[in-house]
């Protein structure tokens, strides 16, 4: 995952475990983690979904929009279910 740059994804280990618990394939999980790290590095992971959609609409291809919006929603579904002990 070093090819996504020096960005650390908060709760990355927990996110991976959550995705594993949903029975996704390891290849899918690896790709989603890379895409989530890219969103985090670009500062797009912590903005509201409506702002993300605007940013994607203006600057990304249709396939990239779908991919990044999908991973954004997965990450925030995970964060909404996260319980910190």
């Amino acid at each position: 995952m070093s090819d996504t740059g020096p960005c650390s994804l908060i709760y990355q280990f927990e996110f991976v475990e959550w995705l594993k618990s949903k029975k996704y394939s390891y290849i899918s999980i690896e790709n989603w983690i890379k895409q989530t790290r890219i969103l985090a590095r670009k500062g797009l992971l912590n903005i509201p979904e409506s702002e993300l959609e605007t940013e994607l609409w203006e600057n990304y291809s249709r396939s990239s929009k779908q991919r990044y919006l999908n991973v954004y929603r997965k990450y925030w579904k995970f964060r909404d279910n996260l319980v910190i002990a």
Side-chain angles (χ1 to χ4, degrees):
M1 286 183 224
S2 61
D3 60 343
T4 60
C7 173
S8 66
L9 181 60
I10 297 175
Y11 305 120
Q12 179 173 317
F13 177 76
E14 291 86 350
F15 186 39
V16 170
E17 292 302 314
W18 183 79
L19 290 169
K20 285 180 184 177
S21 75
K22 301 293 182 190
K23 307 291 186 205
Y24 292 116
S25 72
Y26 288 106
I27 293 172
S28 294
I29 292 171
E30 181 180 356
N31 287 333
W32 290 331
I33 293 298
K34 285 180 183 178
Q35 293 162 5
T36 305
R37 288 172 52 90
I38 290 168
L39 284 176
R41 188 181 70 227
K42 292 182 177 191
L44 299 174
L45 191 58
N46 291 316
I47 63 174
E49 188 172 336
S50 60
E51 288 181 35
L52 176 67
E53 288 176 348
T54 301
E55 175 70 23
L56 294 175
W57 182 260
E58 294 173 352
N59 299 310
Y60 293 85
S61 68
R62 171 177 245 141
S63 63
S64 293
K65 282 187 275 193
Q66 280 185 308
R67 184 174 55 239
Y68 287 132
L69 199 53
N70 181 35
V71 76
Y72 176 91
R73 289 176 177 154
K74 279 190 186 336
Y75 183 74
W76 282 103
K77 185 174 182 181
F78 152 73
R79 287 291 301 268
D80 289 343
N81 293 320
L82 181 66
V83 176
I84 301 172

